[in-house]
Amino acid sequence: MALLSPPVSILPITPSTNPKCLLPSRFAFKSFSTPPAPLSLPTFSRTFHSQSVNFCSCLAMPLEVPTSTSQLQDSLSYSRAYWVSESVIAWNVDVGDGSCYLYFSKIASLSIGDGGIIGYDVKIKLEEDNGGLPINVIEKFPLLQGYKAFKVPLTVDAKSLIKCQLAIAALSYELDCPVLLFFAAVLSTKIVLLILLLLELGVSFSILKYISSSYHNGFYDLSQTDGQCNNVTGLQLPGVLDELFSYEGPLGAIFSEEAVTLHLWAPTAQVVCACIYRDPSGGDPLDIVSLEEVNGVWSARGPKSWEGCYYEYEVSVYHPSTLQIEKCTANDPYARGLSADARRTLFVNLNSDDLKPEGWDNLGDEKPALLSFSDISIYELHIRDFRLEDANDHTVHPDFRGGYLAFTSQDSAGILHLKRLCNAGISHLHLLPTFQFAGVDDEKEKWKCVDSKILETLPPDSVEQQAEIVAIQDEDGYNWGYNPVLSGVPKGSYASNPKGPWRTLEFRKMVQALNRIGFRVVLDVVYNHLHGSGPFDENSVLDKIIIRVIVPGYYLRRNSNGCIENSTCVNNTASEHFMVERLILDDLLCLAVNYKVDGFRFDLMGHIMKRTMVKAKNLLHSLSKGMDGIDGSSIYIYGEGWDFGEVAKNGCGVNASQFNLCGTGIGSFNDRIRDAMLGGSPFGPPLQQGFVTGLFLQPNDHDHGGEEVAEQMLAVSKDHIQVGMAANLRDFVLTNCEGEEVKGSEVSTYDGTPVAYATCPTETINYVSAHDNETLFDIASLKTPMQISVEERCRMNHLATSIIALSQGIPFFHAGDEMLRSKSIDRDSYNSGDWFNRLDFSYNSNNWGVGLPPKEKNEKNWPLIKPRLADPSFKPQKSHIIAAVENFLNVLKIRYSSPLFRLRTANAIQARLRFHNTGPSWVPGIIVMSIEDGHEGVPGLSQLDPVYSYIVVIINPSPTGIKFASPALQARTLQLHPVQIKVKVKAG
């Protein structure tokens, strides 16, 4: 201990607002090239180092002032450092010649005092590793490139520390040389002389505060001061948790002949209990069971009588949003059954015979045939849209409409329509989210509704309909379901009874019924974000359970400040973390094996890591009928490969974006062909036209830059569409509008991004319409000139679906595209109620003109929408709808009449498919595609089609007939397809 006396007086000094300002030149300062020789003073227990400073004016006196206590206290609410492995912490801070300490408090009592961090149990000195962060850390966390690495001593018990409140602090030593201590000890007056001396020595003002803080009871105690705290933050823990606690054993409720066991992965929890209840709500627990922890997994064993009961976890864990140890109750993240609205987890044994429809175990043998993924075509449907509300249709019980059991009625109007689609060739029925989501109460008696009879009396362009819908939109029965709460449990609102196991049984009946119609079933899964977050959000199952019970920030992706990323819309999940990835894989496995689904569509797939998607594909394809009851090799997965937000350009690791997925066999939506056909993008000018909406050929009032520019835009759009019709293959060679031979990847979008990205045809999902944005008929009605006829708009609708149906790759259709479906030009109907989302399978109405769409997402376009809705000539009649359905079915029949429309490899497409009418001398608007089969006189091509040796497809977006001459085709003997001949004869 070094003791000095008496204390020095401190002169109050106001900090400068300009740290670059220098003292006037009348002060002479010396800069030491080498440190001055130390004076002979008592030995100190610490070494003090010099630190460079900036000076300000003599009136404002000092200079570099340490961070204030309040600022440091606020910094505890952030998590800017990363504990990336047991031995390494990454932090983007330069401690210089100072030091770095790790602090922890089991009772979460860390705070900032005048001397730095207080309230800690223990502090641990960390040494900087000049070698930097390990390569594997940078690969897992690309954000940490350039961060400093600090070594955690080997003696530290990291498994215990992660259960505590943690903070890391940087401390600096402001004493520049021992001579200052000497003067501080002997000078009690002559303040000015002391200050001048300090300035002469080049010492910052913070030294005076340092000396003052070390003065106690007439002495300076320098042995107890580690330096001035100038930076502090909390820690993000996913890296160290993955290294120490990655776990592949059982999770959730596990049933055996004798008992039920619970397993919860919660390494940061301090205490975990399970409260067992007889009923789904209310009442006292039958039992409260304490779980025991082994290496981060908490477990308990209970009697078989738990089956059919309910439980919830009570967990004590530190949460950074409150900076406290919190106790909360929550569901099991591995729940397989729930009470209404997920208030309690149901002990449900999915292997129970009571939960299996008759013949369920043999359904794997009844699946519709699928020889190749190239044979897939997809029809996207929302369960709630399958409402079958016709008062004269008594084939579906009212309680079943818009639910799982609606698909089990074999003679309803909706089922008859689905059968027609299936018979024409649609192979997969894609269901919008069917898991437990927020936004719709599971108990139907709590729903509010509008009087549709009153709404039907209002004008087609009125604002009143949307006002009535919006007033109850959060309390009705409608929502698309992209608000995930628990992904492993069917949504209760679609069941006839949301309590107990009914949702499981009825979901299985739905899958079985659709398989028997001839459809394979695709589930829309949302693993990119969570609906709720934080310890007290009632919908925050994973955040409330896993982040509260396990660790803050583990399941949700956080930025460099420790704040939750929200680029998906809210609460982005982090599949780059081991147990997040495992939860996704376990959910998929449960849905595939226990519900026998046939495919998965991943919402915002680009926010999931490529590694996770490849693992998912391999896991599902490893399933077999002998072991698992299904043939996993026939399960197809695809999703939205958009590359944006924090994951863009592999910002969080290699993500499942369009370009990254090439070669994996995982499908992604092709927005290039959509935008080229419709015009612009969903986020561009609403009247910008595209290939099928009148660009150049039927111009509207939008300024496309003049006729010459519009014609060039049409030519470029045609190139994009032709690349898409060739399955968007990056190496497919074609002649572009400039007459150059280019690969698909050398054709560029408006921002220079390559159009093509796929390496095999099943990696491309071609589409022109989906649940997002306006329907196909609505967008055609918005972008086309006001004066054209409804028949012309119907033709454009048909032209668009025909291009998709006759393209290589996998075609995708939004439910109602074939029925001219309208949502009254609503661009985002996720919460617009049944009124704007109605589907009429009796073909009486397409739902056009049911009022101005909801204000929130559409008001800026109301001036464009209103006159169109008000014009009665825009509304299709029943005859138009029936004709549209027939045309759609006929094109599907043509697609499935020949395997040449469904080529299985990139080489086959390059060898057999050609585009004509290319180059600068093209006939505007005409796409001519030929597909050749192997036959006599064509060496190198095998025969795939015993019926057709050569197919020609001609696309004409012009409102009039156009003649096109092709020398390459003149020698061919061509005739209309038999389906077309039949239609022509029928038309008379």
Side-chain angles (χ1 to χ4, degrees), residues 162-164 237 241 251 263-274 291 293 296-299 312-320 324-333 534-536 540-555:
I162 55 93
K163 297 179 179 293
C164 305
L237 304 180
L241 291 177
L251 290 170
H263 305 274
L264 179 69
W265 188 79
T268 61
Q270 295 185 2
V271 180
V272 177
C273 296
L291 278 68
E293 182 190 10
V297 178
W298 299 77
S299 301
E312 57 189 21
Y313 285 121
E314 185 179 87
V315 184
S316 296
V317 65
Y318 171 74
H319 203 290
Q324 294 179 3
I325 305 296
E326 300 287 357
K327 180 185 287 188
C328 66
T329 58
N331 282 302
D332 191 332
F536 306 116
S540 172
V541 176
L542 283 180
D543 194 51
K544 188 173 179 181
I545 294 175
I546 296 185
I547 291 180
R548 278 208 51 149
V549 172
I550 299 181
V551 62
Y554 185 81
Y555 273 76

Side-chain angles (χ1 to χ4, degrees), residues 279-281 308-312 330-350 434-438 442-443 484-493 495 497-504 538-539 541 545 595:
D279 299 316
S281 61
C309 294
Y310 296 83
Y311 68 101
E312 57 189 21
N331 282 302
D332 191 332
Y334 274 74
R336 297 299 177 238
L338 293 167
S339 59
D341 285 349
R343 298 186 189 282
R344 289 175 182 168
T345 302
L346 174 68
F347 282 107
V348 57
N349 182 0
L350 297 182
T434 58
F435 50 75
Q436 187 67 24
F437 57 81
D442 282 353
E443 297 174 289
V485 173
L486 275 168
S487 297
V489 184
K491 175 61 175 169
S493 66
N497 182 354
K499 302 172 183 177
W502 297 103
R503 63 179 81 191
T504 297
E538 66 178 15
N539 291 312
V541 176
I545 294 175
Y595 293 99

Side-chain angles (χ1 to χ4, degrees), residues 7-8 10 48 66 113-116 172 174-175 205-217 219-229:
V8 65
I10 303 299
F48 302 98
D114 290 337
S172 60
E174 301 287 350
L175 294 177
F205 171 68
S206 57
I207 185 174
L208 301 178
K209 181 178 179 181
Y210 175 81
I211 296 173
S212 177
S213 65
S214 303
Y215 176 71
H216 302 285
N217 299 323
F219 294 93
Y220 284 92
D221 181 0
L222 300 175
S223 67
Q224 299 302 313
T225 305
D226 297 305
Q228 179 66 42
C229 179

Side-chain angles (χ1 to χ4, degrees), residues 114 128 378 407 420 501 523 698 710 807:
D114 290 337
E128 184 174 345
I378 302 169
F407 296 93
R420 296 182 74 190
L523 298 189
Q698 290 178 287
S807 296

